[in-house]
Amino acid sequence: MSSVLHKKGDIMNKEYKKLFGANIREIRKRQNLTQEELVTKMQLIGIDMTRSALAKIESAQRHAYPDEIKALKTALDVSYDELFDFKTNKK
């Protein structure tokens, strides 16, 4: 039973990372920012993020840490609601 729940959690985590990353990319592009420009804004806030790390978050290859999520919110000048609103960005 425990392994079944663990596998279910892994699937949910992968889907969550995919939705979160796609949402970050959509917001960034809507603001006409390149990945490099966004990470520069984050670095000015004090978060040591690379373009490669952001690309991995946007493509769901890595998750975002809490301090990175806070910096993304600030750098993109959006609310947490918008940052985590996965439904509005569906095409």
Side-chain angles (χ1 to χ4, degrees):
M1 178 93 174
S2 177
S3 65
V4 171
L5 290 175
H6 182 69
K7 287 180 184 178
K8 242 183 167 176
D10 285 348
I11 291 169
M12 289 176 65
N13 285 338
K14 286 179 185 177
E15 185 63 20
Y16 173 79
K17 282 194 304 188
K18 187 176 178 181
L19 291 169
F20 182 75
N23 198 40
I24 295 299
R25 181 176 38 254
E26 171 65 29
I27 294 168
R28 176 180 60 76
K29 286 185 173 189
R30 198 175 336 132
Q31 295 184 11
N32 294 315
L33 292 172
T34 65
Q35 289 177 334
E36 194 62 46
E37 290 168 333
L38 179 53
V39 297
T40 298
K41 287 178 126 188
M42 292 178 69
Q43 290 167 353
L44 291 172
I45 294 168
I47 298 299
D48 189 23
M49 166 91 51
T50 63
R51 192 212 54 80
S52 175
L54 178 61
K56 287 179 181 178
I57 291 169
E58 288 185 353
S59 64
Q61 294 177 20
R62 117 170 179 36
H63 69 274
Y65 293 99
D67 59 334
E68 294 170 339
I69 293 170
K70 184 178 178 184
L72 282 164
K73 176 199 170 293
T74 302
L76 292 168
D77 192 27
V78 295
S79 67
Y80 284 114
D81 285 342
E82 187 174 358
L83 206 59
F84 290 97
D85 184 7
F86 305 138
K87 294 179 190 121
T88 61
N89 292 318
K90 299 222 177 194
K91 295 179 181 174

